[in-house]
Amino acid sequence: MISFMDLYKINQRYRKEIDEAVKRTIDSGWYLLGKEYDSFCKNFADFCGTKYAVGVANGLDALKLIIRAYGFGAGDEIIVPANTFIASMLAVSENGAAPVLVEPDICSYNINPDLIAEKITPKTKAIMAVHLYGQTAQMDKICALAKKYNLKVIEDCAQAHGAVYKGKMAGNLGDAAAFSFYPGKNLGALGDGGMVLTNDESLFEKIKCLANYGGIKKYEYIYKGVNSRLSDICAAVLNVKLKYLKEDNLRRFEIAKYYRTNIKNPFIILPQIYDGNIAIPISHGNISQGEKVHVWYLFVVRTKNRDKLQKYLSENEIQTLIHYPIAPHKQIAYKEWNNLSFPITEQIHNEVLSIPCNPSLSDAEVKKITETINNYKE
Ligand SMILES: *Cc1c(COP(=O)(O)O)cnc(C)c1O
């Protein structure tokens, strides 16, 4: 069986360095907000080009803390793509604000920026741009709208470590950005982890404080805060893996390019890259100039008989996953939305299938996946 993503294999490639980093951290006797934490915050902020970073417990907390630090809550609305992972919405709901859903475009699966303006009301405070599956949202249009209506732009970068939009890194494309280091993400820890990035010093100070019980100094609290920290052991592992992120993303890019060139099946729709995502050679090594970039957290195909394709691939020893089988507005957790209609989002949730696309796959596996898909008949 070719597994969808073998996390053991992925981490094994850097095992020696990871072991050393973990050992170093254990031996330091300091496990929270220590040296590894500080250096990873600095390294990741430098990598993305932002001034400030706060390591937190997970990606959902990163989003939640950004919204809370801006003071958005009851009575406020935040624009969120209808087609995303549920955490994007939960972060808004947990602050008491209302997520206002906007349909994606069927080519990129990201929020359709041309449908945002009609959802903006006097209560709207921010637009959450989710870079789904590893492709950045259309940030020029989103930022122009935000400027026009005086809204904040919050990036959900949980699927877009190392993604680039017009030469600028994801995480540095809006007012504040949230990352997840869940083990399966492009940059994954050995456990949960997350980070907020921003260039706004006062937002940074407030989030740092909120995430540490609401205090700047030990035992002196200015907010009713939370405990949300990235552990030093995770930070140490992430410091190792960050060095290889570009290389890993390039391998994903290579695999995706092979699929996009060689999968030829009239029943299957391949993912597309939005025209704005043009590579700059400096940040992407051997991706040539003018080539469109995407970090391929997921390689998502679409087909009318999705369950049949999944069964066929499984019978042929290829594991696939569905991201995601039920649209957020159809979830029991959001009963109040169950009668709303988002036809493009629903179509995507009914038709998508994610095929293996990660740096631990061999060329032979990629070839086998391609050939098997090419032999599929509806
Ligand atoms: C993974 C993910 C999150 C949440 O991150 P966690 O670290 O799992 O809390 C948020 N948004 C998107 C789009 C994600 O894929």
Side-chain angles (χ1 to χ4, degrees):
M1 191 78 166
I2 300 177
S3 75
F4 181 74
M5 176 155 17
D6 185 334
L7 288 174
Y8 173 79
K9 242 166 132 183
I10 284 184
N11 290 317
Q12 197 61 15
R13 298 171 307 151
Y14 313 125
R15 183 60 184 270
K16 196 163 165 281
E17 275 185 87
I18 289 173
D19 281 351
E20 280 163 11
V22 169
K23 182 175 185 303
R24 187 173 68 232
T25 312
I26 295 172
D27 289 345
S28 77
W30 196 286
Y31 309 119
L32 285 167
L33 307 183
K35 271 194 202 143
E36 292 291 336
Y37 169 89
D38 283 342
S39 78
F40 180 65
C41 286
K42 182 177 183 309
N43 291 341
F44 197 63
D46 286 350
F47 178 83
C48 296
T50 63
K51 286 193 190 141
Y52 308 108
V54 187
V56 297
N58 54 63
L60 175 57
D61 274 8
L63 284 170
K64 263 172 18 192
L65 286 161
I66 292 168
I67 294 166
R68 179 164 172 196
Y70 276 130
F72 303 151
D76 296 329
E77 293 175 354
I78 296 179
I79 304 273
V80 180
N83 180 50
T84 180
F85 179 57
I86 194 89
S88 311
M89 281 105 182
L90 294 176
V92 179
S93 304
E94 230 189 284
N95 277 289
V100 173
L101 310 189
V102 172
E103 282 268 67
D105 78 70
I106 194 69
C107 297
S108 71
Y109 309 133
N110 274 322
I111 195 167
N112 182 339
D114 301 329
L115 301 178
I116 294 176
E118 64 199 57
K119 297 287 183 86
I120 294 173
T121 74
K123 294 178 179 172
T124 311
K125 292 294 188 304
I127 303 172
M128 188 187 294
V130 182
H131 308 310
L132 202 69
Y133 306 149
Q135 163 156 235
T136 51
Q138 296 184 38
M139 296 307 288
D140 282 355
K141 285 186 177 176
I142 291 171
C143 292
L145 279 169
K147 198 165 173 212
K148 182 169 170 194
Y149 294 98
N150 194 25
L151 310 173
K152 295 294 181 195
V153 175
I154 300 168
E155 291 179 78
D156 179 342
C157 298
Q159 303 190 358
H161 314 73
V164 174
Y165 179 81
K166 298 191 176 172
K168 226 172 157 185
M169 302 294 289
N172 193 18
L173 302 170
D175 295 293
F179 284 85
S180 162
F181 305 117
Y182 173 82
K185 303 285 162 111
N186 286 33
L187 181 59
L190 304 182
D192 275 317
M195 187 161 278
V196 174
L197 294 184
T198 185
N199 290 312
D200 177 339
E201 188 178 2
S202 65
L203 188 79
F204 159 70
E205 294 292 351
K206 188 164 178 187
I207 291 174
K208 202 165 68 166
C209 190
L210 282 171
N212 194 30
Y213 309 104
I216 9 173
K217 270 202 208 151
K218 214 171 188 182
Y219 308 130
E220 281 178 38
Y221 308 101
I222 48 179
Y223 306 107
K224 298 181 188 79
V226 296
N227 171 9
S228 184
R229 295 180 290 225
L230 175 69
S231 75
D232 272 55
I233 293 234
C234 279
V237 172
L238 290 165
N239 266 327
V240 171
K241 291 181 74 178
L242 178 59
K243 292 192 292 183
Y244 303 102
L245 177 60
K246 273 187 189 165
E247 218 172 278
D248 279 4
N249 280 345
L250 270 170
R251 176 64 184 150
R252 288 174 189 269
F253 186 87
E254 224 173 69
I255 294 168
K257 192 169 174 176
Y258 185 88
Y259 286 153
R260 278 164 38 90
T261 314
N262 295 293
I263 294 180
K264 291 188 177 110
N265 185 317
F267 301 112
I268 287 162
I269 299 167
L270 295 173
Q272 297 174 36
I273 311 181
Y274 162 68
D275 278 341
N277 298 347
I278 302 295
I280 49 159
I282 313 132
S283 65
H284 279 81
N286 51 22
I287 296 180
S288 53
Q289 188 151 22
E291 191 145 31
K292 297 178 199 169
V293 289
H294 189 312
V295 294
W296 301 105
Y297 167 60
L298 296 172
F299 192 93
V300 176
V301 303
R302 261 171 52 225
T303 184
K304 287 271 182 286
N305 279 319
R306 184 256 317 277
D307 296 345
K308 186 174 172 188
L309 175 63
Q310 184 169 40
K311 187 163 170 272
Y312 162 83
L313 290 173
S314 160
E315 284 163 3
N316 284 281
E317 305 279 297
I318 296 164
Q319 187 194 12
T320 58
L321 295 176
I322 299 168
H323 299 90
Y324 298 93
I326 305 171
H329 70 281
K330 294 291 182 191
Q331 298 283 353
I332 296 168
Y334 282 108
K335 288 193 281 300
E336 63 275 32
W337 293 342
N338 287 176
N339 291 324
L340 299 181
S341 166
F342 293 98
I344 298 174
T345 299
E346 287 158 35
Q347 184 190 349
I348 292 170
H349 284 75
N350 288 331
E351 296 183 351
V352 288
L353 188 67
S354 307
I355 65 172
C357 182
N358 67 71
S360 77
L361 289 172
S362 68
D363 287 348
E365 287 172 322
V366 172
K367 200 155 169 263
K368 182 190 164 185
I369 293 165
T370 304
E371 281 165 5
T372 310
I373 292 178
N374 282 343
N375 289 329
Y376 169 73
K377 287 186 194 66
E378 248 185 17

